[in-house]
Amino acid sequence: MSILFTGKVAIVTGAGNGLGKSHALELARRGAKVVVNDLGGARDGSGGSLSAAEQVVAEIEAAGGEAMANGANVTDYAQVESMVHAARERWGSVDILVNNAGILRDKSFAKMSLEDFKLVLDVHLMGTVNCTKAVWEIMREQQYGRIVMTTSSSGLYGNFGQSNYGAAKTAVVGFMNTLCMEGEKYGIRVNCLSPTASTRMTEDVIPDSKALELLTPESVTAGLIALVAEESPNRTILCAGAGGYACTRIYETDGIYLPPEQQTGENVLQNLDAILDGEGQQEFVGGFNQTIKFVQKAAESLSVKLG
């Protein structure tokens, strides 16, 4: 099976360097027309230049592909709308959105300013929201779309000094969990990519040079291609790095039921081992599933007939 994107239009944010550049080049190599979006700022989000995006476009065109550079700031919805409009004006549609743009402002929470916390959330979370909102109605109308949110192990599992980044990266998972349901009947599939790669975002986080050699952006892009293919999954958190591919899932334990007279903080604490027991745990696909489970447990214990 060959994955091709002939006739498809893709927007890749943060595509001037690193993972975004790798994604854009591979999408173009497989036939997509690509909007190479990059503000051109430093790793902390300061500054700006279109030159990085233009260089990626030049590479794509030199290889026979079609691309356009765009310097929209993903935190500015008007700029994002203008970017989407430019893509449609030139190529007629937007079929693929890769939300990849990001910055880092790492410090322990005690030392971090609220300004730095908010800025990282604005870029990673609201930047993703803005870009997704700008293409959502287009994809609904054409009954087709592939959207990828970029999450991170720092959000899924935590990482010292990255409370802002981790909060944003977990938030996009929650965003995906709802959009994959709302978009499914319109042919829109939404997934998350959790990458680990050697880029300027990780150059001082992963000091081992041999490890960095293994953590190629291209190995992550292979996962990205699978998530935006016509045969892509829906509602998947795909983890990728150094040629390894895995899936993160969120499970809820079966838990316990306490009758009304025992529903105290003390009894919850005393029963933590049973609450944490993984036997019978489930992966839910909607928030209401939890409510149904708890109500059923209570009804069974109280011999109450439901419905």
Side-chain angles (χ1 to χ4, degrees):
M1 178 184 67
S2 294
I3 300 174
L4 297 175
F5 301 103
T6 306
K8 301 296 186 187
V9 178
I11 295 175
V12 183
T13 66
N17 294 281
L19 285 172
K21 176 180 179 179
S22 177
H23 297 340
L25 292 173
E26 185 62 11
L27 284 164
R29 190 184 73 81
R30 292 172 178 266
K33 300 173 177 68
V34 183
V35 178
V36 180
N37 164 261
D38 202 285
L39 181 61
R43 191 176 73 163
D44 66 357
S46 60
S49 168
L50 196 57
S51 61
E54 289 173 337
Q55 289 172 14
V56 176
V57 169
E59 284 189 48
I60 290 172
E61 291 178 341
E66 289 188 61
M68 60 188 292
N70 183 278
N73 185 333
V74 296
T75 67
D76 186 323
Y77 187 65
Q79 291 187 34
V80 170
E81 275 194 311
S82 179
M83 171 178 66
V84 172
H85 178 73
R88 294 189 78 194
E89 281 285 294
R90 181 166 173 182
W91 294 314
S93 69
V94 177
D95 307 289
I96 296 167
L97 171 64
V98 181
N99 289 298
N100 173 75
I103 64 170
L104 289 177
R105 292 204 173 183
D106 294 354
K107 281 185 181 178
S108 67
F109 186 61
K111 297 178 180 179
M112 184 181 296
S113 70
L114 287 177
E115 179 185 357
D116 280 352
F117 198 103
K118 184 176 183 300
L119 181 60
V120 168
L121 258 68
D122 282 346
V123 174
H124 289 274
L125 175 57
M126 289 311 301
T128 295
V129 172
N130 287 339
C131 293
T132 303
K133 182 67 173 177
V135 303
W136 191 253
E137 197 56 39
I138 296 167
M139 291 182 174
R140 276 168 42 107
E141 289 176 0
Q142 69 192 19
Q143 297 282 300
Y144 185 89
R146 296 292 181 267
I147 299 174
V148 172
M149 322 292 188
T150 302
T151 185
S152 170
S153 57
S154 295
L156 297 171
Y157 312 121
N159 199 31
F160 188 91
Q162 292 192 316
S163 58
N164 50 2
Y165 181 73
K169 289 306 191 183
T170 301
V172 299
V173 174
F175 188 40
M176 174 203 71
N177 283 339
T178 292
L179 290 192
C180 67
M181 292 188 281
E182 293 185 6
E184 189 169 20
K185 69 178 180 179
Y186 299 102
I188 305 171
R189 299 181 188 177
V190 188
N191 295 286
C192 279
L193 179 66
S194 179
T196 179
S198 173
T199 69
R200 65 176 182 163
M201 293 277 278
T202 59
E203 60 190 7
D204 56 1
V205 180
I206 306 171
D208 189 324
S209 61
K210 290 184 179 178
L212 289 174
E213 289 176 10
L214 296 172
L215 291 165
T216 64
E218 292 77 14
S219 66
V220 174
T221 294
L224 181 279
I225 294 300
L227 293 181
V228 297
E230 189 168 339
E231 302 81 6
S232 74
N234 196 25
R235 200 180 190 269
T236 295
I237 305 171
L238 181 67
C239 310
Y245 305 92
C247 179
T248 293
R249 289 178 171 166
I250 300 171
Y251 292 97
E252 182 168 315
T253 64
D254 186 46
I256 63 169
Y257 169 74
L258 294 175
E261 68 275 9
Q262 295 181 30
Q263 292 169 13
T264 66
E266 291 83 358
N267 282 330
V268 172
L269 192 60
Q270 288 174 10
N271 283 279
L272 270 185
D273 285 346
I275 293 170
L276 296 173
D277 188 348
E279 185 176 353
Q281 65 186 9
Q282 301 176 67
E283 182 186 17
F284 290 149
V285 294
F288 201 60
N289 294 146
Q290 182 192 74
T291 302
I292 293 170
K293 183 190 74 172
F294 284 151
V295 169
Q296 286 177 336
K297 276 185 173 296
E300 288 169 5
S301 296
L302 297 171
S303 298
V304 173
K305 188 174 182 180
L306 297 173

